């Protein structure tokens, strides 16, 4: 059981963390909906319309001022990724665009829903489960390492540090890839330390590619510090699959946790275990004085500016309104 802090210190700590969160993350980034559900496995519980309504209610209640939601739909089963034609992604994006167009005339203040894909690596040379032709038409593209057992069967699906470094470098050279999703996830600490991060950081800056700090699998603190020092664009992602991650907890559960440790609360209603990960990332960013401009999710304007520079040939409807 942890030592209790004085009440004024508890409130100061909570307020500070909330301010940090608002400084670095103005929306829910990397959100999955039922579109991501493969036929063999369950990924998410809600439609993008339901996600919009939930966050809209948060805005109306004054609890949370999210400016945007970045969808990151799976194109194929992340547990067994394979190449798909991607037409369904384009149709889904059109639905999102049409839905948001209607909101302009119906709602005074609303979160922007940004259509995106989390495409999976499917080869040792960085091929993805969605073609470049389709990716070039998607508003925001996150490329991530998921299951690679079919690619590296003799290594139990785990590429070496050198192999993974080369895969990420190849992805960064792809003009359709905006973000490298959870680059440390499913990677051993030993291999993570062997990867050529300096080359990756330099290439990320040169190619205008962001690295994700994923709250479900946060980067090690030292790696976050190195990325900030290198000036790499950073994308904070919740990787949410279920709105229950954000729902407010009952008073009985809140009191139970506070009996054990009153140093952390649920300032935005997120689950305690999830909030602890968020708090750890925020404190690391604060420790190294990470500039908000380096965190592309720090505001809708920052995200729009970053995407417009990266996607000059694409038409992204919501950017016109920023």
């Amino acid at each position: 059981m942890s030592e209790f802090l004085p009440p004024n210190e508890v409130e100061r700590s909570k307020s500070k963390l909330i301010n940090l969160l608002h400084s670095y993350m103005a929306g829910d980034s990397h959100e999955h909906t039922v579109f991501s559900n493969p036929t063999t496995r369950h990924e998410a519980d809600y439609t993008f319309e339901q996600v919009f309504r939930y966050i809209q209610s948060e805005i109306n209640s004054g609890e949370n001022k999210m400016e945007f939601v970045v969808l990151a739909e799976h194109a194929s089963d992340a547990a067994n990724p394979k190449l798909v034609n991607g037409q369904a992604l384009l149709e889904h994006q059109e639905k999102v665009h049409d839905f948001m167009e209607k909101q302009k005339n119906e709602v005074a203040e609303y979160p922007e829903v940004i259509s995106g894909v989390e495409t999976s690596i499917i080869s040792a040379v960085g091929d993805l489960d969605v073609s470049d032709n389709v990716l070039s038409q998607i508003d925001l593209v996150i490329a991530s390492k998921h299951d690679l057992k079919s690619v590296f069967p003799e290594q139990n699906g785990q590429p070496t540090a050198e192999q993974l470094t080369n895969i990420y470098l190849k992805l960064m050279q792809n003009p359709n890839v905006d973000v490298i999703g959870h680059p440390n996830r499913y990677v051993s600490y030993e291999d993570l330390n062997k990867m050529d991060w300096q080359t990756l950081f330099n290439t990320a800056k040169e190619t205008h590619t962001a690295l994700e700090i994923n709250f479900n699998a946060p980067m090690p603190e030292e790696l976050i510090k190195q990325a900030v020092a290198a000036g790499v664009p950073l994308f904070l992602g919740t990787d949410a699959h279920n709105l229950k991650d954000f729902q407010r907890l009952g008073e009985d559960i809140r009191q139970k946790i506070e009996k054990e440790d009153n140093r952390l609360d649920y300032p935005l209603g997120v689950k305690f275990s999830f909030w602890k990960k968020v708090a750890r990332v925020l404190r690391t960013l604060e420790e190294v004085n990470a500039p908000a401009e380096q965190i592309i999710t720090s505001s809708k304007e920052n995200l729009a500016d970053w995407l417009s520079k990266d996607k000059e040939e694409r038409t992204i409807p919501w950017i016109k309104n920023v």
Side-chain angles (χ1 to χ4, degrees):
M1 182 178 296
S2 303
E3 294 183 3
F4 273 62
L5 297 175
N8 62 324
E9 290 295 328
V10 173
E11 291 305 315
R12 187 179 295 117
S13 177
K14 288 192 293 185
S15 177
K16 185 176 182 179
L17 286 173
I18 293 172
N19 289 335
L20 279 174
L21 182 62
H22 289 164
S23 296
Y24 291 127
M25 197 168 188
D28 176 15
S29 308
H30 195 144
E31 171 84 40
H32 293 278
T33 73
V34 294
F35 181 88
S36 291
N37 289 342
T39 57
T40 57
R41 199 163 51 85
H42 186 76
E43 281 279 351
D45 292 333
Y46 301 97
T47 66
F48 76 84
E49 294 95 339
Q50 288 173 310
V51 172
F52 174 89
R53 299 301 179 197
Y54 176 80
I55 295 178
Q56 182 67 40
S57 69
E58 294 284 282
I59 291 175
N60 291 340
S61 68
E63 293 282 358
N64 194 351
K65 293 292 184 181
M66 286 192 185
E67 297 178 0
F68 57 82
V69 180
V70 178
L71 303 180
E73 307 290 13
H74 288 308
S76 66
D77 187 349
N80 184 29
K82 58 184 178 181
L83 183 65
V84 297
N85 65 30
Q87 184 59 37
L89 282 171
L90 296 177
E91 293 173 357
H92 180 63
Q93 176 167 275
E94 186 175 357
K95 290 180 181 178
V96 173
H97 288 174
D98 290 345
F99 177 83
M100 293 311 303
E101 187 65 30
K102 293 179 181 178
Q103 304 313 308
K104 297 176 186 177
N105 302 320
E106 298 177 2
V107 185
E109 188 177 9
Y110 57 87
E112 195 71 51
V113 179
I114 301 163
S115 179
V117 60
E118 183 182 20
T119 179
S120 296
I121 299 165
I122 59 172
S123 81
V125 293
D127 293 319
L128 298 167
D129 64 352
V130 182
S131 71
D132 282 335
N133 179 52
V134 172
L135 292 180
S136 68
Q137 302 175 64
I138 300 295
D139 291 349
L140 191 147
V141 176
I142 301 173
S144 302
K145 170 185 176 292
H146 290 113
D147 193 299
L148 290 176
K149 289 187 177 66
S150 62
V151 180
F152 300 100
E154 296 180 357
Q155 300 164 216
N156 196 31
Q158 298 300 323
T160 65
E162 182 179 4
Q163 288 171 327
L164 189 55
T165 296
N166 290 334
I167 288 174
Y168 286 163
L169 289 173
K170 176 70 179 298
L171 293 177
M172 290 175 183
Q173 297 293 343
N174 185 334
N176 300 310
V177 172
D178 303 304
V179 181
I180 304 298
H182 44 67
N184 57 293
R185 195 175 188 183
Y186 310 121
V187 184
S188 71
Y189 191 73
E190 180 181 1
D191 282 341
L192 208 59
N193 286 333
K194 291 180 180 178
M195 292 176 64
D196 187 353
W197 286 105
Q198 194 56 56
T199 298
L200 287 168
F201 292 156
N202 291 338
T203 305
K205 289 192 295 182
E206 291 169 3
T207 60
H208 204 66
T209 307
L211 296 182
E212 181 187 40
I213 300 178
N214 187 294
F215 288 149
N216 269 319
M219 280 184 184
E221 293 177 16
E222 187 57 36
L223 189 55
I224 293 176
K225 294 176 182 179
Q226 292 173 15
V228 171
V232 179
L234 296 173
F235 179 97
L236 303 189
T238 61
D239 204 352
H241 292 243
N242 192 322
L243 286 178
K244 291 178 181 177
D245 286 344
F246 300 97
Q247 289 175 348
R248 277 150 182 63
L249 300 178
E251 188 61 27
D252 56 335
I253 300 177
R254 183 188 298 273
Q255 290 178 0
K256 179 179 182 298
I257 294 295
E258 289 182 347
K259 285 181 180 179
E260 299 175 1
D261 187 347
N262 77 334
R263 294 176 301 171
L264 288 175
D265 197 0
Y266 314 88
L268 294 180
V270 299
K271 290 195 299 188
F272 184 65
S273 59
F274 187 75
W275 174 245
K276 286 199 296 185
K277 296 178 183 178
V278 174
R280 187 164 64 248
V281 170
L282 294 176
R283 285 171 172 149
T284 302
L285 292 173
E286 179 195 32
E287 182 182 342
V288 293
N289 296 312
E293 296 75 19
Q294 188 176 351
I295 315 298
I296 63 175
T297 50
S298 60
S299 70
K300 185 164 69 172
E301 290 76 15
N302 198 19
L303 181 61
D305 181 62
W306 182 78
L307 278 176
S308 61
K309 291 178 181 177
D310 193 40
K311 300 176 181 292
E312 295 177 355
E313 298 180 359
R314 301 191 206 180
T315 301
I316 305 178
W318 70 274
I319 288 182
K320 299 177 182 178
N321 304 318
V322 177

